[in-house]
């Protein structure tokens, strides 16, 4: 198994129309891509008007910290059913979070039916500590 860059050319070939992040990676076995984790360079934004309406000082500090953090949007995961339970999805995610993405980043995503099973399998994604309007947001902190 090889972990390789998932390129913009790969994205185009897979029908992905958005610009992908340099942190996106794929797993290749015998020259065949069996899975990929695709990021987009998109910060998590929490509207300042939401923060302004919060009375809890801890919640304000939490949201202000999120706004200041380097963040990366987990946009898509796909993995071959044949390899899904092999541990390779988790290995790829660990490789990306330990070796590729700087440790001061926050990974965020929208918990949708398209990636929910993968998030559950990977583990470590949690809703924000304090409620925000988009209740589908999930966070993975690189710097634990």
């Amino acid at each position: 198994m090889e972990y390789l860059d998932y390129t913009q050319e790969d994205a185009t070939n897979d029908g992905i129309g958005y610009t992908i992040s340099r942190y996106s990676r794929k797993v290749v076995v015998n020259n065949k891509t069996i899975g990929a984790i695709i990021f987009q360079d998109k910060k998590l934004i929490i509207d300042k008007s939401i923060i302004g309406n919060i009375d809890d000082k801890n919640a304000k500090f939490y949201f202000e910290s999120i706004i200041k953090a380097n963040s990366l949007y987990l946009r898509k995961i796909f993995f071959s059913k044949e390899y899904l339970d092999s541990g390779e999805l988790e290995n790829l995610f660990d490789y990306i979070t330990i070796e590729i993405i700087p440790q001061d980043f926050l990974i965020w995503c929208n918990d949708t039916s398209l990636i929910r099973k993968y998030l559950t399998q990977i583990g470590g994604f949690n809703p924000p500590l304090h409620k925000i309007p988009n209740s589908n947001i999930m966070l993975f902190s690189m710097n634990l």
Side-chain angles (χ1 to χ4, degrees), residues 5 17 30-31 39 46 62 91 94 98 110:
D5 292 349
N30 298 325
N31 294 321
F39 298 97
I46 299 172
Y62 177 75
N91 290 343
D94 288 346
I98 294 168
N110 281 302

Side-chain angles (χ1 to χ4, degrees), residues 5-25:
D5 292 349
Y6 186 86
T7 65
Q8 195 63 52
E9 183 179 346
D10 292 325
T12 300
N13 291 338
D14 290 338
I16 295 172
Y18 50 85
T19 303
I20 62 161
S21 171
R22 68 183 181 273
Y23 300 118
S24 301
R25 294 293 185 271

Side-chain angles (χ1 to χ4, degrees), residues 57-112:
K57 289 180 183 180
N58 290 330
K60 277 188 183 202
F61 179 75
Y62 177 75
F63 290 130
E64 288 168 354
S65 296
I66 287 176
I67 290 171
K68 292 176 187 173
N70 293 316
S71 57
L72 190 62
Y73 182 38
L74 173 57
R75 184 73 187 252
K76 182 176 177 113
I77 300 174
F78 66 86
F79 226 82
S80 167
K81 287 182 183 180
E82 177 183 355
Y83 290 94
L84 192 58
D85 294 324
S86 69
E88 282 307 313
L89 171 62
E90 296 91 331
N91 290 343
L92 175 60
F93 189 77
D94 288 346
Y95 169 73
I96 292 169
T97 57
I98 294 168
E99 301 289 330
I100 304 301
I101 298 173
Q103 292 299 300
D104 64 344
F105 270 61
L106 172 76
I107 297 173
W108 69 282
C109 64
N110 281 302
D111 180 20
T112 65

